[in-house]
Amino acid sequence: MIGRPAAPAGGQNRVALVLGSGGFRGPAHIGVLSRLRELRVPVHAMIGCSVGSLITAYYAAAGQSVEEIMESAFGTGVLAILSHAIALRFGGRTPKMLARFSDEVRVRLQVLEGCDFRTLHHGIEQVGFLIHDQRRGERVFAVTGRERGFSLSEAVRASSRLPFLFPPLRKEVDGLERELVDGALSAPSPVIHAVAAPVSASHVIVVDLSGSRRRSKHSELARWQRILRDRLVVLRPRLPRSIGLWGSGGRVRSWYEAGRRAVDAAALTPLRAWAAPGSIASAGRTNLSTEPERRDPPSRPGRRAPLAEPATRALPSDRRDA
């Protein structure tokens, strides 16, 4: 059972960053990460779902910098992702003309093969990934301290597999055979797993890329705002207008900048309160500046897309926890 989160005690507060689903809007997650690092906001745990699981894994588990993750976002094209999906459907066999594109994604995913749930970077202490079991309509959550037989690579690949495009990852979990797909089908912004044990965060930052009121409603963020109140900050990156083609380099850059803008003055007010002396155990990283030094990620022209196996579909999140 997952109960109501307890109020923080003794000044030992923990901040969790929840990166939800969003597909090709995923570079906004990277923009938020960039801004939070500049502001020296302490983050103790990261929870990923769908494309958010990929960003979480490359940042916290692989230890890549914001610039390196953006390089991957620019470097993985739509054709590469579709070729990778075909390869998975046909047991790794793809037409020769598509093999080169599929290999781009495969090589990038191989980076995660050498990573695990416990060797983490950038000050992150725990990572968790939400996965959906489409056979039983249940959510499966794998997290540092309760990995449930998953390797980190398995958890990430399952969490980011959009049904119909990618085949499910079949695996026995808790003694049951499961068909594992995109975690957004259980909850596009899984705050509940940030506040529940073993993460037990007292303060939560959510990046909501739902893109519509209906999807935002399914994420139950309004409910969690009523429960956590000033202990929850919801960031909603948005583009002022349509820029570039779907999956293009122009849109990657635009979503990255939208993520940076989302950490605005309204968000800084509670973040400063969290970082007040004695408020958050942040290992000395509690000074939030308003004009941080900025390092731009590489910019490339052309038709580009975020990391492999993104997803955008979001269904209601009131399914039974597996």
Side-chain angles (χ1 to χ4, degrees):
M1 291 291 293
I2 298 175
R4 186 184 183 94
Q12 297 301 306
N13 299 340
R14 287 172 51 79
V15 177
L17 175 63
V18 178
L19 303 182
S21 63
F24 283 88
R25 297 182 290 274
H29 286 322
I30 310 173
V32 169
L33 272 175
S34 170
R35 187 75 169 128
L36 293 179
R37 280 188 62 83
E38 289 177 351
L39 296 170
R40 299 181 182 180
V41 176
V43 175
H44 303 88
M46 292 181 67
I47 308 301
C49 169
S50 192
V51 69
S53 68
L54 289 159
I55 305 301
T56 295
Y58 282 103
Y59 181 77
Q64 292 187 354
S65 66
V66 167
E67 291 79 11
E68 288 172 321
I69 302 173
M70 276 297 288
E71 181 74 15
S72 294
F74 279 116
T76 305
V78 175
L79 182 57
I81 293 175
L82 294 177
S83 299
H84 180 58
I86 293 172
L88 290 176
R89 287 285 182 187
F90 293 95
R93 299 184 302 274
T94 55
K96 290 183 178 180
M97 62 179 297
L98 296 178
R100 176 172 63 88
F101 300 101
S102 177
D103 286 345
E104 289 181 15
V105 178
R106 181 178 55 82
V107 169
R108 294 183 189 279
L109 290 175
Q110 279 181 340
V111 172
L112 301 179
E113 296 292 339
C115 302
D116 59 62
F117 280 89
R118 303 188 182 222
T119 306
L120 304 176
H121 306 269
H122 302 300
I124 307 301
E125 300 168 1
Q126 288 179 294
V127 291
F129 306 97
L130 181 62
I131 308 160
H132 180 75
D133 178 3
Q134 67 177 7
R135 176 181 290 185
R136 292 175 173 81
E138 298 174 345
R139 67 177 70 191
V140 177
F141 185 61
V143 61
T144 303
R146 194 168 181 247
E147 294 87 354
R148 305 175 78 173
F150 283 93
S151 69
L152 183 131
S153 177
E154 281 180 324
V156 174
R157 286 185 285 115
S159 177
S160 56
R161 287 197 174 191
L162 181 65
F164 308 115
L165 180 59
F166 296 97
L169 189 152
R170 292 178 169 83
K171 181 178 176 63
E172 182 178 317
V173 182
D174 301 333
L176 298 173
E177 290 293 331
R178 301 183 182 272
E179 296 181 357
L180 304 172
V181 295
D182 194 312
L185 273 72
S186 286
S189 299
V191 176
I192 191 168
H193 297 290
V195 299
V199 177
S200 302
S202 58
H203 297 70
V204 182
I205 303 169
V206 178
V207 184
D208 174 24
L209 299 181
S210 55
S212 72
R213 291 183 179 180
R214 179 179 63 85
R215 288 177 177 170
S216 184
K217 181 179 179 180
H218 291 326
S219 70
E220 295 190 341
L221 286 178
R223 171 175 172 262
W224 282 108
Q225 284 178 312
R226 290 193 299 271
I227 295 172
L228 294 174
R229 298 184 180 180
D230 59 354
R231 291 190 280 138
L232 174 65
V233 169
V234 180
L235 306 176
R236 291 187 171 93
R238 295 291 184 266
L239 291 185
R241 63 183 184 279
S242 180
I243 302 174
L245 298 174
W246 182 69
S248 69
R251 287 189 68 86
V252 169
R253 164 67 65 173
S254 297
W255 277 112
Y256 171 83
E257 295 294 346
R260 289 183 56 86
R261 289 193 303 271
V263 190
D264 56 13
L268 280 174
T269 298
L271 292 178
R272 286 198 183 96
W274 297 2
S279 175
I280 293 179
S282 60
R285 297 187 301 149
T286 57
N287 295 323
L288 303 189
S289 61
T290 56
E291 295 296 334
E293 180 181 355
R294 175 173 173 179
R295 294 178 60 191
D296 287 332
S299 179
R300 290 186 176 181
R303 184 166 54 95
R304 302 296 184 189
L307 301 170
E309 301 183 10
T312 57
R313 186 179 178 187
L315 296 181
S317 57
D318 57 348
R319 301 184 185 275
R320 181 168 61 88
D321 189 25

